Every structure is written in structure tokens, then in C-alpha cells.
Amino acid sequence: MSESINLKYIVPGDDFTRAGEASGAVKRKLKQLGFNSDVIRKVAIAMYEGEINMVIHAGGGEADVEILPDKIHIILADQGPGIPDISLAMKEGWSTAPDNVRSLGFGAGMGLPNIKKYSDELKIETELGKGTKLFITVNVSN
Amino acid sequence: MNVGDIQKILKADLICGNEDQLEYEVQTACGSDMMSDVLAFVKNQSVLLTGLNNPQVVRTAEMMDMRCIVFVRGKTPDSSVIELAKDHDIVILRTGLRMFTACGLLYSNGLRGGCEKE
Ligand SMILES: Nc1ncnc2c1ncn2[C@@H]1O[C@H](COP(=O)(O)OP(=O)(O)OP(=O)(O)O)[C@@H](O)[C@H]1O
Ligand SMILES: [Mg+2]
């Protein structure tokens, strides 16, 4: 694999049951390309948490994934409400998720901390009323 | 232990999975209804016990390469959940036991949480 592979997914905001399809597809692609399972799992979990966030907090969005031999870049962009206080949102256990989201098994306030933990780089751009963009990078170590 | 042992210990019904899959070796497990809690601790856990019944349970197991989901409190998974599990070669078991009891039984039979502290 010498060139980069670019993948793009639309993440629908109105169907919770489909959240995770994009992450699952990326996981399968990385497996097919022969990446090691630790790298695959880091990418899958970080992207899945971000994908779920776009669905439950932002009405859906888009995922762009760039696969390079030595790193994987994931950009998750939505046009949701934005995050008022990023440092608060990064705290373990901090969540604004309503009860109905909690009854679906999310809203523990662990998603962003998980993304931070499983990625090698995480940048968040957010503007209130405009949307949020996550830039996630996972390095491929051999 | 393997998935078949878990089925016996928990007197669980096999909702989906075949003979070969019952031979899967498992060492560690995780019990939670909050999926991000599950996703927070990756230590090659291979079994997820949960009372939550929706496709995200299977997706969470998929992302973590888990091999078996146990639905506690007699929760019967929806067909969408079962189909997704089949697609990903994940075994589904159902036990009438509650979470605490199911986890306790598995722990006392040697299954561990897989996090350093445990
Ligand atoms: N894409 C987003 N758009 C708007 N707000 C967001 C977005 N992602 C996260 N947030 C805000 O940041 C908070 C923390 O996010 P985080 O993913 O850590 O927890 P959670 O989604 O509430 O729960 P969990 O991830 O454990 O299911 C959210 O409750 C929400 O207020
Ligand atoms: Mg989240």
C-alpha cells in the first residue's frame, strides 16, 4: 500500500440503529488491508464514539477517513449545536445527554475521553450554533 | 473457559451461534448497560454481559472484537440485533439471571475483568 486511501461516509442523524455503520466499514477495510489489530481497534473505537456523538448530540454528520501506511486520519464533521466548553466536555463523566439517550446505553460522559485515549492526536473545532469538527489521528506502529 | 462453559454456568439459551463458536476460548468479560463504559477498557475482553437491548450492543462488541454477548434478566434481543450478531460471528446467549449474579458466577468460575485493578 503506497498511496493513500480515502473513504467518505454520511452518518444519518435520524436513525440511531445505524450509528456505527461507518466505523464498522472502516474497521473491515483496515482488516482487509492487513493493519495490526491494536491499530484497528483504536481507530474503530475512537471513530465509533465520534460517530455516536454526531448522532445523539448533533443530528448526524459526515466522516472522512484517510488511510496512509503510517497513520490514519479521521475527520468527523457535523452541523449540530457545537460544544460550549470543550475542557468540560473532555472530563470523564460529564454529559448533557437526556434520559432517552441514557436508556439507549449512551450518555456516560466517556466518549470524548475515550477518543482522546485511543488516538495519538485529537483536535476539536467547534462553534456554537454552527457545528463541531473532530480531527483524530491514529499512528501505525509496527 | 469457552463460550459453551459460559452457557452452562449461566444456564443460558443459545440465541445465535453454532457448535464451533461454542469452542471460542474466553478469559475476560465486562458487564455494563453503558456502552461507553465498555469501550473505555480495552483488554482483550471477549464477553459482554448487558441488560441493554439494541443494535449498539452488537456494534460495541464488534469494535472491541468480542465474541459473545450475554443478555441478562431474560432480555430477548430483537431480530435486528440477532442479524447483526450473525453478520459479525458473535454468539448471543440469554440468561434469566440478573447482572450481579451472572457476573458473580462467571467470576467465581475463573473469568476476570481484564483490567489491571481486578
Ligand atoms: N458532536 C457533538 N456536538 C455537540 N455536542 C457534543 C458533541 N460531542 C460531544 N458533545 C457534548 O460533549 C459531552 C460529552 O461527550 P462524551 O462523548 O464524552 O459523552 P456523552 O456522549 O454524553 O456520553 P457517552 O459518550 O459516554 O455515551 C456531551 O454530553 C455533549 O454535551
Ligand atoms: Mg459520547
Side-chain angles (χ1 to χ4, degrees):
Chain A
M1 193 184 119
S2 51
E3 288 164 41
S4 74
I5 295 175
N6 291 277
L7 306 166
K8 191 177 186 72
Y9 303 90
I10 305 289
V11 177
D14 55 358
D15 190 353
F16 174 75
T17 64
R18 289 185 56 195
E21 277 183 5
S23 307
V26 169
K27 185 171 192 270
R28 277 190 298 283
K29 185 74 190 173
L30 293 175
K31 215 173 204 168
Q32 193 188 318
L33 291 168
F35 282 92
N36 90 42
S37 58
D38 283 345
V39 170
I40 297 177
R41 211 180 289 167
K42 284 165 76 177
V43 170
I45 295 176
M47 181 169 168
Y48 179 57
E49 289 282 16
E51 191 180 349
I52 292 277
N53 277 356
M54 291 201 295
V55 175
I56 62 181
H57 302 300
E62 277 179 18
D64 281 286
V65 180
E66 185 184 19
I67 304 172
L68 297 162
D70 61 335
K71 51 181 70 185
I72 293 143
H73 294 292
I74 304 155
I75 302 174
L76 300 169
D78 67 58
Q79 295 175 354
I83 304 175
D85 184 339
I86 293 181
S87 62
L88 203 53
M90 291 302 302
K91 283 218 171 87
E92 285 191 7
W94 195 84
S95 173
T96 61
D99 283 347
N100 69 316
V101 165
R102 220 150 283 169
S103 68
L104 294 168
F106 291 89
M110 292 297 290
L112 287 173
N114 281 352
I115 296 173
K116 175 98 193 141
K117 181 164 141 192
Y118 295 118
S119 62
D120 294 293
E121 278 169 60
L122 169 64
K123 192 174 86 179
I124 303 175
E125 285 177 4
T126 187
E127 199 178 333
L128 288 185
K130 287 258 170 70
T132 300
K133 228 172 175 178
L134 257 62
F135 300 81
I136 302 167
T137 302
V138 174
N139 294 333
V140 178
S141 50
N142 290 306
Chain B
M1 76 175 75
N2 62 30
V3 171
D5 296 327
I6 293 184
Q7 186 190 2
K8 281 186 214 106
I9 293 166
L10 300 180
K11 298 189 174 60
D13 305 317
L14 182 63
I15 305 288
C16 80
N18 57 40
E19 295 285 308
D20 288 347
Q21 289 174 300
L22 292 180
E23 302 290 322
Y24 284 162
E25 274 301 317
V26 293
Q27 262 111 38
T28 53
C30 173
S32 181
D33 289 354
M34 294 303 264
M35 293 303 109
S36 294
D37 275 341
V38 177
L39 292 161
F41 302 102
V42 176
K43 279 283 179 278
N44 283 313
Q45 293 151 121
S46 28
V47 184
L48 171 61
L49 294 97
T50 189
L52 188 70
N53 176 8
N54 69 45
Q56 298 311 331
V57 173
V58 183
R59 299 236 187 256
T60 298
E62 173 198 354
M63 300 308 158
M64 298 188 79
D65 303 308
M66 288 175 156
R67 321 199 100 174
C68 173
I69 300 170
V70 180
F71 287 95
V72 298
R73 307 195 293 274
K75 289 263 161 76
T76 302
D78 300 337
S79 58
S80 61
V81 175
I82 297 172
E83 287 312 311
L84 204 56
K86 283 184 184 159
D87 287 348
H88 294 101
D89 292 322
I90 294 169
V91 179
I92 294 187
L93 301 175
R94 176 188 58 198
T95 176
L97 299 171
R98 298 182 63 179
M99 180 71 96
F100 180 81
T101 313
C103 292
L105 281 171
L106 294 179
Y107 191 94
S108 62
N109 278 276
L111 209 62
R112 287 295 175 265
C115 300
E116 289 88 346
K117 279 166 271 179
E118 298 161 80

